[in-house]
Amino acid sequence: MDSSSPSPKRFGPEFVEKYRRIHGGKTPQGRALTYDNAVGDEFMLRRAWLDEQLDQLPVKQADRLARNVWLDEHYWPVHIEMATGAALRRAGLQAVYDRPWDRQTPDWTVLAEDGKPLCLVEVHTASPPPLTARVRFPSPAPSICGP
């Protein structure tokens, strides 16, 4: 693909239709917690924003994140890392995602004009433990207000 052609949208209507087809037949309790975000019309702008952020990355990195983002345990970390990169770029900084330095790979490296690192940015997402994200209420959800 040349730079003049638009990049394909990872999370556009085709993605939504396919995701619904694959996961929509499951009970709400059996779906990923991110299901509504992946298919709901009210989250269309969020998916478009995520597409824009992934377009800023090399294809391999973007593909990896696109596969992981709809997994419950990666949803918020991916979004927050991409938001951090967007903020760095908006501030006029050149930011590179997941670039190795020695034996470390910070989330973002801010580069000077000569390509040398100015700072390393590690994003911490205060997510609940993985077990918490997997807890589901039986259907129907128990009432906390009465019998």
Side-chain angles (χ1 to χ4, degrees):
M1 175 181 346
D2 68 337
S3 60
S4 65
S5 62
S7 61
K9 295 300 166 207
R10 297 170 191 278
F11 305 126
E14 296 84 16
F15 163 81
V16 171
E17 183 179 320
K18 181 178 178 183
Y19 204 87
R20 275 192 183 125
R21 191 171 55 251
I22 293 170
H23 301 286
K26 299 175 184 175
T27 65
Q29 297 80 11
R31 296 178 188 149
L33 297 172
T34 58
Y35 177 80
D36 290 336
N37 293 300
V39 301
D41 290 342
E42 65 272 31
F43 297 104
M44 180 174 48
L45 293 177
R46 182 179 297 173
R47 291 190 302 270
W49 175 85
L50 189 55
D51 268 331
E52 291 171 13
Q53 302 316 305
L54 294 179
D55 285 348
Q56 305 295 317
L57 304 177
V59 173
K60 278 186 165 183
Q61 286 179 328
D63 286 346
R64 179 177 51 84
L65 290 171
R67 283 189 304 274
N68 287 341
V69 70
W70 304 112
L71 301 174
D72 293 338
E73 63 271 18
H74 295 293
Y75 182 79
W76 285 116
V78 168
H79 276 76
I80 293 169
E81 287 178 8
M82 293 301 98
T84 301
L88 293 169
R89 286 188 300 275
R90 200 169 36 254
L93 301 169
Q94 180 185 356
V96 179
Y97 184 71
D98 262 357
R99 182 173 177 180
W101 296 101
D102 282 330
R103 287 177 235 125
Q104 303 296 315
T105 308
D107 294 318
W108 292 97
T109 302
V110 176
L111 301 176
E113 287 183 23
D114 64 3
K116 292 182 182 174
L118 289 175
C119 74
L120 306 176
V121 179
E122 185 63 32
V123 178
H124 174 74
T125 306
S127 298
L131 179 60
T132 304
R134 299 306 308 169
V135 172
R136 303 207 185 264
F137 288 105
S139 183
S143 171
I144 60 171
C145 298

